[in-house]
Amino acid sequence: QTGRPVRYGAGKLVGEAPRQGGVGEKQPWQLKDGTRIIPLASYEINARLLHRERYRFDAMADISPVDFGVGWHRMSDQSVIDSLSFSNSNRFLCLNCRDAGGPEPDNGSAGNMHMLPANDRVKERLLDLRTGDVFFARGYLVSVERSGMNPWTSSLSREDTGNGACEIMWVEEISRKVPPQAR
């Protein structure tokens, strides 16, 4: 990631929650290395990129090169974001209040996403997004099965926290968006 974080004025930039649906006719598929991808739900998200962490060396870095800490509703508001600090440890997103008087994070409108690009073009776009950007992504929440490892399975709830609460997204489409207030 290059450049400074993108900033906007105070106010919610993303008013809608992620949309999750059925997988329809979509069947599991296999990657060249034998990794099996099992679609659990179709998924579309408009969100603010709160934090991103690039991975090159962990066990899943070859198929999930980046994690996105994302926010919508209240967690897309610059004034709330400014009161928090974000970090990532072992693919877990950490949100912390900068001062005791600031607004509390809203876990119901934030999440940590392990992003699995469907192709090189999507990978380039994922890696091009900057902290603070508003983006749209479409694809599937998935379970990943790999020889010698326990399944890596996406959460299907936006309300959970802790181990197993991350969304694992097979990303087929992604684009940067300019919020209406910023035009």
Side-chain angles (χ1 to χ4, degrees):
Q1 174 182 345
T2 59
R4 295 176 21 187
V6 176
R7 295 186 50 80
Y8 294 102
K12 286 190 286 190
L13 297 180
V14 180
E16 67 269 12
R19 292 174 299 284
Q20 180 176 308
V23 296
E25 301 288 319
K26 188 76 168 175
Q27 296 294 313
W29 63 94
Q30 197 163 310
L31 304 180
K32 291 178 186 173
D33 69 355
T35 299
R36 188 165 185 243
I37 308 293
I38 302 155
L40 304 174
S42 61
Y43 197 66
E44 291 184 356
I45 184 170
N46 285 294
R48 183 95 186 262
L49 182 54
L50 304 175
H51 181 78
R52 53 173 267 148
E53 190 73 25
R54 177 79 157 98
Y55 291 93
R56 291 180 176 86
F57 305 111
D58 78 348
M60 295 305 225
D62 60 325
I63 62 168
S64 180
V66 65
D67 281 4
F68 282 3
V70 299
W72 55 92
H73 295 154
R74 188 169 164 263
M75 291 298 292
S76 69
D77 185 329
Q78 189 70 53
S79 63
V80 174
I81 294 167
D82 287 345
S83 71
L84 302 170
S85 65
F86 303 91
S87 61
N88 196 292
S89 176
N90 296 320
R91 291 199 180 252
F92 285 92
L93 178 67
C94 303
L95 300 124
N96 298 299
C97 294
R98 291 180 195 248
D99 59 58
E104 288 290 317
D106 179 2
N107 289 327
S109 60
N112 190 45
M113 301 180 68
H114 308 310
M115 306 301 267
L116 286 70
N119 56 51
D120 288 340
R121 180 184 48 79
V122 170
K123 181 179 178 179
E124 288 175 24
R125 288 184 176 168
L126 285 168
L127 297 176
D128 188 48
L129 288 174
R130 291 172 36 196
T131 299
D133 274 334
V134 175
F135 70 93
F136 167 78
R138 177 180 303 154
Y140 294 91
L141 297 179
V142 299
S143 182
V144 179
E145 294 178 354
R146 191 172 247 189
S147 179
M149 297 178 68
N150 290 328
W152 201 32
T153 302
S154 179
S155 167
L156 296 176
S157 169
R158 306 301 82 77
E159 301 299 321
D160 52 358
T161 59
N163 193 15
C166 298
E167 283 72 39
I168 302 172
M169 185 178 184
W170 179 264
V171 184
E172 295 186 339
E173 178 184 342
I174 186 151
S175 58
R176 182 179 285 119
K177 296 184 76 169
V178 178
Q181 303 93 304
R183 291 185 184 151

